[in-house]
Amino acid sequence: MRLSLVTLVLLSAACAAPHPWSGAALCELDRPQPAAPQSAGEDGEPGVRPAPPPAPVVEAEPGTTQWLQLMLRGWDAETGRATAPAVDCTGRQIRWEAPALACDDPAVARALLPDHPLGEADVVVAPLPEGERLVWIVTNRLASGEGLGPVAVVTVQQRRLVVRAIGTLRANVVRPKLRLERLGTTEALVAEGESCARADPATCVRAARVMPLVGGRFSPAALVNAAGVCAGPAWFYLGREEAERLPSGWKRRTRLDGSLSFGAEGFSVDEQVVVHDLDPRQPNAPPRLFRKAESRLTVKLAEGRLVTSGPSLWVRMHSKD
């Protein structure tokens, strides 16, 4: 029983630990306040109505314009356009400067789509506890299906918005999901999303980028192996499918499904790859199982680096073909 109590105390202390950004204020934006209600005076002229009894303060959710004004310097409210290049609220240009660029990072593709006025479709907001939000402004879209722009932890107060931590995120923009996870002594941004070649859902690839918080900024990270050699970016496929035609005329379909789970020291990546062969001459026949494999790799934060236990199952299975 004593062990259980100690465990509960430790878990409670961990949950109550302050966030790395607690107390930081990188940028602020004053929020417009509603005008005081007016009523007619004794002579028929408008007069100030007596103050009503205090009521619970309900903080309205910021709108698209407030998010853009907060997070982008030089954003033009009339045209809806950001500067070129876009600049975040701390004065830093929005650029993808990942250390993994020389290490097989799929984000090296830089084909930008034409810019456009920013609006509601370019703002991704995820709720956090204690009145905070994770906000991503997609200032640039790429031909690869990814988006690029500032991402921040923002405290929503009645009279102002306060940026606590910020960074530049590059991730898939279809059905995006943002969250924070504890990673060692810091926290990490996890950004999931999809990119789709066509309207067909089968063409969609779902992936997640993990960005540790370093010195008040979410920073792109590379995975390294135990020897310190770069193994790739902190980019993890959670759902993808490929198909190829075999010399026999059959079609081979390879499907990957993955998930991330975080713990006290790091996180794990669970992967399952299933390979089926299909006979196009018999479209109603069930697919034939060719290969199936499951694997778990672990990633730990050590001395500011993400150290992986090995390559992904997808890479290993393809290397055998």
Side-chain angles (χ1 to χ4, degrees), residues 7-319:
T7 302
L8 288 173
V9 170
L10 290 175
L11 288 174
S12 178
C15 294
H19 295 290
W21 63 78
S22 295
L26 303 181
C27 313
E28 296 186 11
L29 176 71
D30 290 334
R31 306 181 65 183
Q33 300 299 305
Q38 303 287 314
S39 65
E42 295 180 358
D43 56 357
E45 294 297 326
V48 178
R49 179 181 299 170
V57 175
V58 178
E59 296 174 1
E61 187 67 19
T64 298
T65 297
Q66 290 185 36
W67 291 128
L68 293 169
Q69 290 175 333
L70 170 70
M71 294 183 55
L72 292 174
R73 282 194 184 181
W75 177 71
D76 190 325
E78 292 187 3
T79 64
R81 295 182 181 274
T83 57
V87 177
D88 71 22
C89 67
T90 68
R92 185 170 296 192
Q93 290 186 357
I94 306 300
R95 299 182 183 276
W96 187 243
E97 299 175 341
L101 287 177
C103 171
D104 193 27
D105 188 346
V108 295
R110 298 177 180 272
L112 292 174
L113 298 178
D115 67 343
H116 62 282
L118 301 179
E120 183 178 359
D122 304 300
V123 180
V124 180
V125 182
L128 294 176
E130 303 173 3
E132 292 174 326
R133 308 287 189 275
L134 261 176
V135 186
W136 181 30
I137 308 295
V138 183
T139 55
N140 302 96
R141 293 177 183 263
L142 298 100
S144 61
E146 297 168 287
L148 176 71
V151 63
V153 175
V154 181
T155 299
V156 177
Q157 300 174 347
Q158 182 184 10
R159 295 184 175 276
R160 64 179 54 86
L161 303 175
V162 183
V163 172
R164 304 297 187 185
I166 199 168
T168 297
L169 171 64
R170 180 169 177 168
N172 292 338
V173 296
V174 178
R175 289 177 282 276
K177 292 184 179 180
L178 307 177
R179 70 181 190 272
L180 292 179
E181 295 283 359
R182 178 66 63 174
L183 185 60
T185 59
T186 186
E187 296 190 11
L189 167 68
V190 182
E192 296 184 20
E194 298 177 14
S195 62
C196 306
R198 299 185 300 276
D200 181 3
T203 68
C204 295
V205 174
R206 188 161 191 86
R209 188 177 297 281
V210 178
M211 298 176 63
L213 183 67
V214 180
R217 295 194 70 90
F218 295 108
S219 302
L223 297 176
V224 299
N225 60 24
V229 178
C230 186
W235 176 265
F236 305 94
Y237 289 104
L238 306 180
R240 65 186 302 185
E241 188 173 299
E242 290 184 357
E244 60 177 319
R245 186 169 297 277
L246 302 176
S248 63
W250 282 50
K251 178 182 177 181
R252 176 162 293 169
R253 185 178 64 201
T254 303
R255 174 71 193 180
L256 163 75
D257 289 289
S259 62
L260 303 179
S261 54
F262 285 75
E265 297 183 355
F267 60 96
S268 59
V269 185
D270 292 293
E271 296 175 296
Q272 181 186 74
V273 175
V274 180
V275 185
H276 284 109
D277 290 343
L278 304 92
D279 186 353
R281 296 167 297 182
Q282 304 182 55
N284 296 325
R288 179 188 301 173
L289 180 64
F290 174 73
R291 184 185 300 171
K292 181 178 180 180
E294 297 180 350
S295 178
R296 167 177 286 189
L297 63 88
T298 60
V299 180
K300 295 183 179 181
L301 184 65
E303 298 180 353
R305 301 186 302 174
L306 295 177
V307 183
T308 178
S309 59
S312 72
L313 177 61
W314 181 271
V315 170
R316 284 183 282 138
M317 290 190 67
H318 274 61
S319 65

